[in-house]
Amino acid sequence: SVMSQRSKSLPRHFTCLDLQAEEISELLTKEDSRLFTNVNVDEFSGKAWTPALDSGIGVMTHRWNKLGRWVASEVVNNANLKQRVEILKRFANVLESVFKNNNFFTSMAIISGLNHSAVQRMKKTWKALPEKYQKELSHIEEELSFSSSFRRYRELLSDALEKGKPCIPFLAVHTKDLLFMNDAKGNPDWVGEGVINFEKLNLIGNIVAQMKHCQKMQSKYEVIVLNPQRHEMLTNFIGRLPNTLPEESLYPTSLTNEPSQDV
């Protein structure tokens, strides 16, 4: 059973295939929840937010990029077709789990990693992935698609908050909204002599309030610890993501492990 698996000790050199999808999901969510809680909400108001690494949003942006690269690395950095398919299955299950728990931040990062050109070009690997996983991936991708300015994602986020469920927002959507509001021509801070643009203030205020609301719910995320030593090794692993390749190595590694087929 999953629980008995999770109480086992891990080998010193474990891979993501030694881990259960649920525990990867829980620990990714716990780490991203911690980083999101550290974002100072003032970063969202006015023009203060910046992707500089020392800002909370900057740290999360860096983490998001690394998560995507980690997912891509785990898939491409394996010469064994069967294992690559198992890794894809594992990530499909992790994605299903983080999405179900309204961790939209990690969901988007996993989708981005699986859509990396180095992963997408591995046609044999994708062909060997059973259809039910392909369907699940397509379904979640559709739910989080950027069509109509992420309309469906925005609905899911509001819905989770209305129901009092914890969620981790996909920050890029909200920082882009703020950038647009601040930089849009014809949307000045003042609309006349001494008259504040209340509509603009209100829109920015709504985003800040929504982010604050999300932050308040973070303590509802729980992690089940059955084996403290395993938990510590995993927390360290998820925090560092040590198997992540540099961006420029992903495509060459993919070519080495699944050479292009001569058409």
Side-chain angles (χ1 to χ4, degrees):
S1 78
V2 172
M3 285 308 172
S4 67
Q5 282 297 326
R6 288 182 62 168
S7 54
K8 284 183 179 164
S9 291
L10 281 171
R12 211 157 65 96
H13 300 292
F14 62 89
T15 73
C16 70
L17 291 177
D18 292 308
L19 313 177
Q20 301 293 309
E22 287 286 334
E23 66 184 336
I24 298 174
S25 159
E26 276 176 24
L27 288 166
L28 284 171
T29 298
K30 200 69 189 161
E31 175 62 7
D32 300 331
S33 169
R34 180 183 74 79
L35 296 177
F36 176 57
T37 307
N38 286 341
V39 173
N40 183 340
V41 183
D42 292 346
E43 289 183 39
F44 283 101
S45 41
K47 291 185 180 152
W49 77 268
T50 152
L53 243 181
D54 55 356
S55 69
I57 291 174
V59 170
M60 288 205 80
T61 306
H62 179 76
R63 170 73 178 174
W64 192 84
N65 289 325
K66 188 168 185 183
L67 274 171
R69 249 188 23 249
W70 168 64
V71 170
S73 302
E74 291 283 9
V75 180
V76 303
N77 203 9
N78 194 314
N80 181 311
L81 174 69
K82 245 186 173 152
Q83 284 186 4
R84 280 201 305 277
V85 175
E86 285 305 315
I87 291 167
L88 276 183
K89 284 184 188 171
R90 193 64 38 98
F91 278 124
N93 288 337
V94 171
L95 176 59
E96 192 179 358
S97 177
V98 289
F99 178 68
K100 196 175 71 198
N101 289 310
N102 305 306
N103 178 353
F104 302 115
F105 179 82
T106 305
S107 300
M108 290 289 201
I110 293 172
I111 289 171
S112 136
L114 294 176
N115 278 324
H116 193 289
S117 56
V119 178
Q120 284 294 313
R121 64 160 293 284
M122 296 181 124
K123 301 282 181 270
K124 273 189 194 160
T125 311
W126 285 102
K127 214 173 165 176
L129 182 68
E131 198 184 348
K132 72 167 202 172
Y133 293 97
Q134 310 244 18
K135 274 191 174 151
E136 185 57 38
L137 285 172
S138 307
H139 165 66
I140 296 175
E141 243 180 277
E142 219 162 276
E143 289 284 75
L144 296 177
S145 104
F146 50 79
S147 63
S148 312
S149 184
F150 290 98
R151 198 189 76 220
R152 184 70 187 122
Y153 156 68
R154 294 173 194 274
E155 286 171 359
L156 290 165
L157 183 71
S158 302
D159 191 46
L161 287 172
E162 266 170 42
K163 290 179 175 154
K165 292 178 176 171
C167 46
I168 304 178
F170 177 43
L171 285 183
V173 170
H174 310 286
T175 49
K176 207 170 174 184
D177 287 349
L178 289 163
L179 196 61
F180 182 72
M181 282 172 207
N182 279 315
D183 292 359
K185 295 208 176 3
N187 198 13
D189 291 342
W190 302 88
V191 283
E193 193 61 48
V195 182
I196 290 174
N197 182 346
F198 279 110
E199 193 186 354
K200 177 177 175 178
L201 268 185
N202 194 25
L203 287 169
I204 291 172
N206 287 343
I207 295 175
V208 174
Q210 193 179 41
M211 293 301 109
K212 274 187 170 164
H213 191 171
C214 287
Q215 282 185 325
K216 280 205 182 92
M217 313 299 276
Q218 294 306 306
S219 57
K220 291 190 175 185
Y221 279 124
E222 288 175 351
V223 173
I224 299 166
V225 181
L226 296 174
N227 176 331
Q229 191 190 4
R230 180 184 179 108
H231 177 69
E232 196 181 328
M233 282 170 85
L234 277 184
T235 304
N236 181 19
F237 174 80
I238 292 295
R240 292 187 309 120
L241 302 175
N243 304 346
T244 310
L245 296 170
E247 179 61 44
E248 61 276 11
S249 305
L250 288 170
Y251 208 89
T253 306
S254 171
L255 278 168
T256 305
N257 287 328
E258 188 178 306
S260 291
Q261 287 165 288
D262 302 326
V263 180

